[in-house]
Amino acid sequence: MTNPDHPDYFVVINGPEDGTEFPIVRAPFYVGCDVSCAVNVRLDDAVRDFHVLVSVVSDGYRIRRNDDAPVYVNGKRAGMLRSRIVRSGGRIQVGNTLLCVECAPDGLASRSHGIDTQSDLGWAVAQVARGVFRLGTGLVRLVTRVFGRLLGSWLGVGALFILLYATWPSFRYHVQHLVLLVYYRLYALVSQLL
């Protein structure tokens, strides 16, 4: 079953695609029914597009659920925050499909000795940081889009001035002072002309 060109495999041992081998040449990768997944389980309706995120660890693979559908590693449930490690001969159940991991001595998992792997806590912190960053950039885009449109329109500028005048007493005082100053200067100019 082992091919020297692609030594590590995920093999379907029970499911609609019995016997199908998926060679592992790089990590991280996804298990799912989407065509871009390295382990593409197409015939199982219970498998989601990007069902499982798999990364390489020393002598095995870290299995992390990527969707709300269940994933089992050697009979134990894997989650988004609580990942599981599968070694050679280990089994992963995704939907109704059971996969077996075959790691060769010169495979990707065997060559990963000494690679710094991320713990579940480190992964969770990184995901939260990414989410906060995306939320912040989205909020900045929204504010600039809204205020850019408002300030580009005379109606928006007028509404902004009315809002400031109604809610900010210092702004109201300066506007009243400016209006009176303009009024007295115009009155003086008109009285000189007449």
Side-chain angles (χ1 to χ4, degrees):
M1 240 185 204
T2 304
N3 183 340
D5 294 334
H6 305 288
D8 290 354
Y9 281 90
F10 277 45
V11 181
V12 177
I13 58 173
N14 189 9
E17 299 177 57
D18 234 357
T20 306
E21 297 178 351
F22 299 98
I24 306 304
V25 292
R26 68 175 184 262
F29 60 91
Y30 288 99
V31 176
C33 64
D34 192 80
V35 293
S36 64
C37 293
V39 179
N40 185 353
V41 183
R42 298 177 307 263
L43 301 178
D44 189 347
D45 293 336
V47 175
R48 305 285 174 90
D49 289 344
F50 297 98
H51 203 103
V52 176
L53 174 64
V54 182
S55 57
V56 69
V57 295
S58 184
D59 288 328
Y61 293 93
R62 181 181 302 273
I63 308 298
R64 188 179 306 280
R65 187 184 76 194
N66 196 50
D67 205 324
D68 58 348
V71 177
Y72 296 94
V73 176
N74 295 326
K76 295 179 182 175
R77 192 174 179 125
M80 286 184 171
L81 296 178
R82 176 71 171 106
S83 65
R84 300 281 180 187
I85 305 288
V86 64
R87 309 264 184 228
S88 187
R91 296 168 188 241
I92 305 165
Q93 183 176 349
V94 179
N96 298 319
T97 301
L98 189 61
L99 300 160
C100 181
V101 176
E102 293 183 7
C103 299
D106 59 341
L108 184 63
S110 298
R111 291 182 306 210
S112 66
H113 288 289
I115 291 179
D116 193 20
T117 59
Q118 194 175 40
S119 69
D120 290 337
L121 179 63
W123 182 85
V125 168
Q127 293 302 320
V128 167
R130 282 188 197 114
V132 167
F133 181 75
R134 280 194 299 258
L135 181 68
T137 56
L139 187 61
V140 167
R141 277 194 209 117
L142 176 70
V143 167
T144 56
R145 191 176 303 149
V146 167
F147 281 116
R149 287 185 181 164
L150 280 179
L151 296 177
S153 136
W154 64 269
L155 188 60
V157 172
L160 181 64
F161 277 121
I162 290 170
L163 181 69
L164 287 173
Y165 187 82
T167 59
W168 194 5
S170 177
F171 182 77
R172 184 179 321 128
Y173 169 77
H174 289 297
V175 168
Q176 288 172 347
H177 187 277
L178 182 67
V179 167
L180 284 174
L181 182 69
V182 169
Y183 172 75
Y184 287 132
R185 293 226 174 142
L186 283 175
Y187 182 76
L189 183 67
V190 168
S191 62
Q192 281 180 359
L193 292 173
L194 295 178

